[in-house]
């Protein structure tokens, strides 16, 4: 399947470092928990936390989002829940991509009921053209057009997560 390069590894690394530095500035002196949403954000989150120069805890949320390979239905199931309480903690949810916004808004509403001190969102990518639920992304890597992207943790049919760059899947049906 042809994949057209979108952002190379160097461009991604620079942007992720900037986000990490911004988080370091914003959360100095605070009890921070970074929550990557599995699976798509594991590569982004692994790089991001290494640019956060604070005592940071990392805990994971596993989700299954129903739909076909390229579209989420908005029905989200938590398959792996957090291992610790986030009550009173400052939490950043880390997502690979906000597409319709359905997944992240479901998770945001769920986590907010657990009474964190604050809850913010970091996302590597945002596709505003596909918005169904508006979401405030506090730390955003890149805004992209309505294209389906893979690599750097993002998959198509569970493949391509290992590509070190982000690329666009050519698909005439979309
Ligand atoms: P949303 O609920 O529509 O915002 O979709 C969020 C989830 O759909 C993301 O966390 C991804 O797992 C998946 N997704 C949406 N767009 C893409 C894409 O372009 N490439 C790979 N996965 C995507």
């Amino acid at each position: 399947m042809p994949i057209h390069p979108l952002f190379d590894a160097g461009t991604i690394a620079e942007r992720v470092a900037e986000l990490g530095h911004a988080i370091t500035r914003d959360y100095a002196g605070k009890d921070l928990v970074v929550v990557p949403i599995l699976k798509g954000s594991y590569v982004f989150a692994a790089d991001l936390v290494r640019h956060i120069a604070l005592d940071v805890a990392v805990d994971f949320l596993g989700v299954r989002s129903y739909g076909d390979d390229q579209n989420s239905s908005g029905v989200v199931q938590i398959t792996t829940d957090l291992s610790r309480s986030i009550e009173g903690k400052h939490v950043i949810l880390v997502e690979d991509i906000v597409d319709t916004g359905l997944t992240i808004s479901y998770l945001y509403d769920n986590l907010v009921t657990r009474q964190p001190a604050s809850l913010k969102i970091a996302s590597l990518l945002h596709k505003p053209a596909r918005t169904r639920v508006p979401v405030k992304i506090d730390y955003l890597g890149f805004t992209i057009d309505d294209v389906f992207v893979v690599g750097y943790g993002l998959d198509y049919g569970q493949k391509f997560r290992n590509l070190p760059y982000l690329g666009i899947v050519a698909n005439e049906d979309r």
Side-chain angles (χ1 to χ4, degrees):
M1 183 178 312
I3 294 170
H4 307 295
L6 179 62
F7 297 115
D8 65 24
T11 305
I12 299 168
E14 264 177 43
R15 188 69 193 118
V16 173
E18 286 170 4
L19 296 179
H21 298 153
I23 290 170
T24 302
R25 279 195 304 274
D26 295 349
Y27 287 86
K30 292 184 176 161
D31 206 354
L32 174 62
V33 185
V34 167
V35 176
I37 300 167
L38 300 175
K39 302 175 194 167
S41 78
Y42 79 105
V43 176
F44 170 44
D47 284 344
L48 182 67
V49 292
R50 284 179 283 178
H51 290 287
I52 301 176
L54 301 170
D55 285 335
V56 55
V58 182
D59 204 351
F60 297 94
L61 258 188
V63 304
R64 181 179 301 142
S65 176
Y66 291 94
D68 60 29
D69 280 341
Q70 295 198 357
N71 295 285
S72 81
S73 64
V75 180
V76 181
Q77 182 194 353
I78 293 180
T79 54
T80 308
D81 208 342
L82 299 177
S83 65
R84 301 268 171 100
S85 164
I86 53 166
E87 191 175 340
K89 307 264 170 81
H90 294 273
V91 176
I92 301 178
L93 263 176
V94 179
E95 183 57 299
D96 54 351
I97 182 164
V98 176
D99 185 29
T100 60
L102 289 163
T103 304
I104 196 76
S105 63
Y106 173 89
L107 295 174
Y108 187 97
D109 290 348
N110 181 301
L111 292 202
V112 101
T113 65
R114 307 183 194 192
Q115 299 177 323
S118 68
L119 182 57
K120 293 204 170 173
I121 294 170
S123 182
L124 178 66
L125 300 167
H126 184 211
K127 269 189 232 177
R130 303 247 309 162
T131 300
R132 285 176 58 192
V133 183
V135 173
K136 179 172 183 279
I137 304 172
D138 303 282
Y139 302 98
L140 173 63
F142 306 97
T143 298
I144 62 170
D145 293 335
D146 181 9
V147 287
F148 197 84
V149 290
V150 293
Y152 198 69
L154 287 88
D155 76 305
Y156 176 67
Q158 298 303 320
K159 293 196 181 123
F160 308 113
R161 294 192 198 274
N162 57 320
L163 296 179
Y165 61 92
L166 282 158
I168 300 171
V169 178
N171 183 348
E172 271 82 59
D173 298 336
R174 194 173 153 77

